[in-house]
Amino acid sequence: ALKYDFDSQQPLTQAEPKGLIFVIEDDLDLQNILTYNLEKNGYSVKCFAKGESALENLVTLHCRDYFLI
């Protein structure tokens, strides 16, 4: 199924995520809910239980898009 980017009025493909979002949340259930909804809306998601882990991966994963804390 094609995903649709309502901001640009263009369909998205699996190879074209809107951006990478770092989710920093220690509750695994909440991480899963956030990941599901964000990926469903076309974003790539990387979860971390602690902010320190996110900071360590910031440069390596080239996250310049969004953070959800």
Side-chain angles (χ1 to χ4, degrees), residues 17-34:
K18 286 183 175 181
L20 174 61
I21 297 179
F22 273 22
V23 173
I24 304 166
E25 174 57 56
D26 60 353
D27 183 304
L28 187 57
D29 291 330
L30 190 51
Q31 273 187 16
N32 290 333
I33 292 168
L34 291 168

Side-chain angles (χ1 to χ4, degrees), residues 40-55:
K40 183 177 175 184
N41 285 287
Y43 294 95
S44 295
V45 179
K46 181 70 179 162
C47 292
F48 301 93
K50 297 183 178 191
E52 293 86 7
S53 301
L55 289 174

